[in-house]
Each structure stands twice: as structure tokens, then as C-alpha cells.
Amino acid sequence: MTGFLLLTVIYIAFISLGLPDALLGVGWPLMHLEFNAPISMAGWIFMTIAAGTILSSLLSGRLLERFDTKQVTFGSGLVTALCLLGFYAAPSLICLFALSIPLGLGAGAVDAALNHYVAEHYQAHHMNWLHSFWGVGATGGPLVMAGVLTENGWRDGYLIVALIQFALAFLLLLSFPLWKREVKAEPSAFDRHETAATSLERKLPKGISYALATFLLYCGIEALIGLWASSYLVQMKQFSVASAATWVSIYYGSITLGRFLSGFLSFRFTNRQMIRLGQTLALIGSLIFLIPTTETMLIGLICIGLGLAPIYPSMLHETPQRFGPVRAKRLMGFQMAFAYTGSTFLPPLFGLAVSQTSLGLFPLVTVLIMLGMLFNTERLNLITHQPSKEELT
């Protein structure tokens, strides 16, 4: 019963994680008018938040070595709530930038902490379902903002989400006894071997570069498609703006649905098999998207979304198995930092490239990134393995 209650709290926490993510984008059309700021300033605020998120992800391993997961999660949730409340009351653009730094710090720390905890204590299907619940939150945030924009303005949207975050922080505080009673599994022979190898604990393990590259490419392509698919369809394929927006919604819906379905598939397949299946389907989808007919392009975009769905949660869940629990706390944060780096920089870099060429590169770049992901994970599979009994003696 204790484990079930704790898991429920973690599921709620993942919904809450997604709530603030799209608030800035939805509210900015009104925010920039009030602050007399150019429309492009939203990109700089987003980059400031992302910088804080990357930094806290890199430092999350040290935090988890010093504090329990429940303490990091509660503290980060409280900081996030306070920053969102600050956005609600912000009198100037400078205040928004100042609040963006701790907002990013809080988001990165809680994300890395919860993902590590779930990877260590729960089975793979929960990791997929939890990230599906993140999608529920990411969808709910814009709906909250949209519901108040016409009546009371963008500030009320931030206030509502801030109050939800405060409620979550209070719930996390009440759940402390549940975390305390959470029983860790007995260490395996691999764990003991890893712990004994003190000279290697602080070194980056073999294959980590391929893992980091995969996280960067995965989050980069997920964000790149979300940002540029609509423009490609409108400018290169003469879609209406409304139709293109609907297609992008279908793409994100495919990822959310795919993660829900992946939870059931993970009962049958291992993490590595799920990653391979997902990447293969995403690659096939990107190739189908190259075929210039409406029906095939839609099928391709859906396949891409369904294929991308299991990659991120399965990679996270596989981290302790690939590199051992001793290193996993730090490596989880490093992996997520590279993931945020990909989602932050690959879309604008692509924008810079197409400004000198053409948006017609979009499908080809998608295929190339899918191939890059597949190459990196297959190399990672060859390099990483559980040590045999002979290696442990």
C-alpha cells in the first residue's frame, strides 16, 4: 500500500512537471505587449530558463549524494512554485529574466531526481507511463492559460499554475514518510563490483559519449519537429496554417499515446529492444514523410511520434543497467543536461541553416538525425554489457 501511495504522488508530480513548460509560449502574445518587448524576446527568456535547467541537471548528482530524493523534489517544487508566483507579479521584463534562472534550476533538479528514483525503484512500464503523464501536464498548462487569457490576462494563468505547484509541494511534504519506508533492492554482484572499483567511480564510463549524443539528438529532433514541421507544411507544401497546426498536435498526441502503449509493450520487451523498435519506427516514419502526398506524410508524422515515444523513458530506465547504480545518480543528470541542450539549440541552429538555404531540408535533416540516433545506440549496446562472473572475480 505504501508503494502504491508513493507511486501515485510521483505520477502527480510528473503531471505537475509538464504544466509550466508551455506557459511562456502561450502567454507571450499578451506578455510582450504589456512589457513593451519585441516578440523575439521570448526566445531569450526560454534560453535563460534552459540554461538554468542544464546547470541544475549537471549538478543533480551531487545534490542526490547529499540529500534524499524526496528533499530534492520538495525543494525544487517549492522553488518552481515561488518563481511562477513571481512571474504572476513581475513588474518588468528584467524581473522575468531574474526569475527564469531559478525556475530553470528547479525544473532540472526535480526532473533528474525523479527520473533516477523511478529508474532505480520501479519497472520500465512505469517510466513510460510517467512520461505520458508529463504530456498530460504539458497539454494542460496551455489549456489553463488559454482559459484565462480572454478574461483576466496571462498573469492569472501563471497564478493558477503556481498554486497547483504549491499544492504539489505540500503533498510532497506530507509524503515524506512514504519515501522513508521505500525499501531498496539488495545490491547485486555488479553493484558490489562497481562499488569496489573506487578508482573508477569518478571516471566517465565506456560508452557514455554515445549515450549523451543519443539524448542530445533525441530531444533535439523532438523539439525540431515540433517547432518547424508547421512552417515546412505551410511554406513548402501549401497547407493552411490551421491544418499545419492540427498536424503538429497529432504529432505530439502520437508521442503521448505511444508512451502509454509503450508501458504495456515493456512487459514483453526489454529497454534496449524498446529503444531499437522505437528508433526503427521513427526512421521509417521519417522516410515515409519524404513521399510528397498528404496521406503518406500524415502517416509518416504519426509513425515518427509513435517511434519517438519509448526512446527517452527507456534510455533513462536503462541507465543503472548500462553503467551501474553507483554512477547512475550523476550520469542521469549529465544525460538530461545533454537532452536539454539538444532541445534548446538544435531547433534554432536548424533555423539558422534554413535561413541560408531552404526549409525543404527539413525532411532530409529529420532522416539524418534518426540515423545518427540509431548509430549511437547500437554502438552503445556493443560497448556496454553486464560483466560476467569471470570479470567480477
Side-chain angles (χ1 to χ4, degrees), residues 203-389:
K203 290 176 61 178
L204 293 178
K206 283 184 180 179
I208 186 60
S209 60
Y210 294 105
L212 297 178
T214 301
F215 276 96
L216 187 148
L217 291 175
Y218 169 79
C219 285
I221 190 61
E222 181 187 284
L224 190 150
I225 293 172
L227 181 63
W228 290 104
S230 181
S231 297
Y232 172 77
L233 292 171
V234 171
Q235 294 191 22
M236 306 303 297
K237 299 299 177 182
Q238 289 72 54
F239 278 57
S240 68
V241 173
S243 296
T246 301
W247 277 42
V248 175
S249 297
I250 291 173
Y251 161 71
Y252 278 114
S254 298
I255 295 176
T256 302
L257 175 62
R259 284 181 177 164
F260 179 73
L261 296 175
S262 294
F264 293 101
L265 291 174
S266 63
F267 286 104
R268 172 67 178 81
F269 300 102
T270 66
N271 287 324
R272 298 190 185 201
Q273 290 171 331
M274 292 291 293
I275 294 165
R276 185 178 289 119
L277 285 171
Q279 290 185 338
T280 302
L281 180 58
L283 177 58
I284 292 172
S286 63
L287 291 172
I288 294 174
F289 192 78
L290 285 169
I291 303 173
T293 67
T294 301
E295 294 78 10
T296 54
M297 290 175 67
L298 179 58
I299 293 171
L301 200 60
I302 292 173
C303 287
I304 290 172
L306 292 173
L308 291 178
I311 298 172
Y312 187 69
S314 297
M315 285 286 293
L316 289 172
H317 195 265
E318 186 69 5
T319 300
Q321 283 69 46
R322 288 192 192 276
F323 305 114
V326 172
R327 293 188 178 115
K329 285 185 179 181
R330 291 201 174 201
L331 294 181
M332 189 70 76
F334 275 85
Q335 289 177 153
M336 299 192 72
F338 271 75
Y340 290 126
T341 300
S343 61
T344 301
F345 293 106
L346 280 190
L349 283 175
F350 176 77
L352 182 64
V354 299
S355 68
Q356 305 298 319
T357 54
S358 167
L359 261 175
L361 288 175
F362 175 76
L364 179 60
V365 169
T366 301
V367 172
L368 292 176
I369 293 178
M370 298 298 182
L371 286 170
M373 273 200 301
L374 186 59
F375 169 79
N376 278 286
T377 52
E378 290 305 316
R379 286 289 300 161
L380 182 60
N381 287 338
L382 288 173
I383 293 171
T384 59
H385 66 283
Q386 294 288 345
S388 65
K389 291 182 180 179

Side-chain angles (χ1 to χ4, degrees), residues 33-77:
L33 295 175
E34 181 173 333
F35 292 116
N36 194 28
I39 193 74
S40 60
M41 191 62 67
W44 292 103
I45 297 176
F46 174 80
M47 294 275 282
T48 304
I49 296 172
T53 304
I54 293 168
L55 178 61
S56 62
S57 296
L58 290 171
L59 297 176
S60 63
R62 294 184 181 274
L63 282 174
L64 290 172
E65 289 173 357
R66 182 165 184 174
F67 302 101
D68 291 338
T69 302
K70 62 179 181 290
Q71 295 170 328
V72 174
T73 305
F74 168 72
S76 299

